[in-house]
Amino acid sequence: MPATLPDLMQTPTKSGFSPIPTQSMTLPADYYYRQDIFESEKENIWFKNWIFLGNRSDVARPNRYITGKIIDQPVFAIRTKTGELKAYYNACQHRGHLLLDKEKGSRPLVTCPFHAWTYNLDGTLRSAPNAENIPGFDYADFSLTEIRVEEFGLWVFVNLDPDARPLAEMAGGLLDEMHAAIPNFADLKLVRRDSFDLKANWKFILDGLECYHCPYIHPQIMGQKNGYTTQSFDGHEKEYYSTHINRGNYELMQNFPEKLPYDFGDMAIKDIYIWFLWPNIVFVAHQGSSNIKVLEARAHGPEQASRHFHNFCLNDPPTQADLAHMNQYRDISWPQDRKAMELQAAGVRARGYKQGRLMVDPQHSWQSEHGTHHFQHLVWRALNGEVY
């Protein structure tokens, strides 16, 4: 049972949220701004699930490392000389100084810049100045604190929960789908990253796993005659991930390429593939040459978040066609979503709004919010268990 929220369930009315998608209300409004709920999310979501750390290519060789932070917890992963990938809290066991302050790099040993305590890549303490003069000093007492790490597709994920299920066991089918949908998936390379702050709760980012909003927020995609997708949002939900496919407007793509909003290149991918991985990642393969984007949501407070785009394609440097779909998402689609999220953040604080109704139809049509319910149900269970 997750840690309890002090007063969340001390209300005479039912929550309104339901495990049955077609009967469910949304998460209550205060889930998007209450400090105590955010603190519970830290413990029960962020510190107990697999969190994206970086790209596998950055730690492909011995001694290479990448660093990151899960809310306020600094971590790093490093490839040992024997080829094993290890991950640790990024804190010297002497007085807590950060061991590595760069995003990535190479170290044959890890030495603290404060007092030069030095660690082997297996986490054991190798040397500590003046240790020979300290009564009872035992090097074995001061190894780095190890955390779970897993290589998953092109990426590296870490988990602060030592008892967590392996990510490959929880979401291995997701990688199979990516390989099937994206030609030469294993050869994709990181070519660009974009980052944006968001004046809103992090969950608003993942709540967007529906196309009910598409004709209104993204008319260039679906809501116009020359939209480059059809009214579609096919897919399925698994326990810890979901798949959504926005089918392309094939007639437009094949017969009127001059009317497309950007250069689709060789059109190796003709549909938009969207994969959600619990708790905070959306992978998107846009129409065009083989590509994938890792859209990472980070939480910084009850009403502060950021989103980071990790853009992958086959060509490094990217071609003009590669850049076209990256720029289309960064400069057109994302600003539309961002504005809607920040306006939601303002609206849910209104005293006249407590909770809405998720529009989930039995057919799981393109207008249905079943993807949103899937995400919100995972949030609910993480914070409240099976109590509704």
Side-chain angles (χ1 to χ4, degrees), residues 161-183:
D161 182 1
D163 300 319
R165 287 170 56 191
L167 179 57
E169 177 184 306
M170 296 169 62
L174 185 152
L175 288 178
D176 294 336
E177 293 182 24
M178 289 179 175
H179 279 280
I182 304 170

Side-chain angles (χ1 to χ4, degrees), residues 192 218-221 228 260-264 272 286-287 293 309 311 321-336:
R192 191 176 83 186
H218 308 300
Q220 79 282 0
I221 298 176
Y228 51 93
L260 294 172
Y262 64 90
D263 182 1
F264 278 26
I272 299 176
H286 281 108
Q287 292 151 302
K293 298 172 182 67
F309 308 161
N311 298 277
D322 293 325
L323 291 170
H325 66 74
M326 296 181 207
N327 294 342
Q328 172 75 14
Y329 183 75
R330 181 193 65 186
D331 300 336
I332 305 297
S333 299
W334 164 243
Q336 293 167 335

Side-chain angles (χ1 to χ4, degrees), residues 229-275:
T229 70
T230 62
Q231 291 184 328
S232 56
F233 203 61
D234 307 336
H236 54 262
E237 292 81 43
K238 300 296 186 180
E239 186 175 6
Y240 291 105
Y241 73 93
S242 61
T243 302
H244 310 279
I245 305 171
N246 195 189
R247 302 293 179 184
N249 183 341
Y250 305 143
E251 181 181 359
L252 182 72
M253 293 162 63
Q254 293 170 7
N255 300 325
F256 304 99
E258 71 280 0
K259 295 183 179 180
L260 294 172
Y262 64 90
D263 182 1
F264 278 26
D266 61 12
M267 284 196 252
I269 302 175
K270 296 181 171 62
D271 304 310
I272 299 176
Y273 290 86
I274 302 168
W275 293 279

Side-chain angles (χ1 to χ4, degrees), residues 86-162:
K86 293 278 197 175
Y88 308 97
Y89 286 96
N90 189 3
C92 181
Q93 297 301 292
H94 175 213
R95 285 169 56 186
H97 196 285
L98 286 181
L99 292 165
L100 301 167
D101 60 358
K102 293 183 179 179
E103 180 182 332
K104 60 184 178 179
S106 179
R107 292 284 185 87
L109 299 167
V110 177
T111 300
C112 179
F114 198 12
H115 298 99
W117 280 36
T118 299
Y119 300 87
N120 296 307
L121 302 192
D122 66 1
T124 56
L125 181 63
R126 181 186 181 96
S127 64
N130 201 36
E132 67 277 9
N133 296 316
I134 306 302
F137 188 92
D138 188 345
Y139 280 74
D141 292 338
F142 300 101
S143 295
L144 296 178
T145 304
E146 192 168 355
I147 61 174
R148 299 276 298 280
V149 62
E150 198 164 325
E151 297 174 74
F152 185 78
L154 304 173
W155 310 289
V156 174
F157 285 75
V158 292
N159 196 321
L160 304 187
D161 182 1

Side-chain angles (χ1 to χ4, degrees), residues 294-368:
V294 183
L295 307 180
E296 176 194 8
R298 298 181 190 174
H300 303 294
E303 298 177 276
Q304 298 86 38
S306 59
R307 202 173 199 196
H308 305 265
F309 308 161
H310 307 260
N311 298 277
F312 290 76
C313 65
L314 293 175
N315 306 295
D316 187 11
T319 66
Q320 288 302 309
D322 293 325
L323 291 170
H325 66 74
M326 296 181 207
N327 294 342
Q328 172 75 14
Y329 183 75
R330 181 193 65 186
D331 300 336
I332 305 297
S333 299
W334 164 243
Q336 293 167 335
D337 282 327
R338 184 185 187 184
K339 179 180 179 180
M341 292 169 192
E342 292 186 337
L343 290 176
Q344 280 182 279
V348 295
R349 274 194 165 273
R351 293 188 178 187
Y353 176 79
K354 301 298 181 186
Q355 194 171 21
R357 174 65 185 265
L358 285 172
M359 304 295 281
V360 181
D361 58 52
Q363 298 78 25
H364 280 198
S365 73
W366 69 268
Q367 297 182 92
S368 178

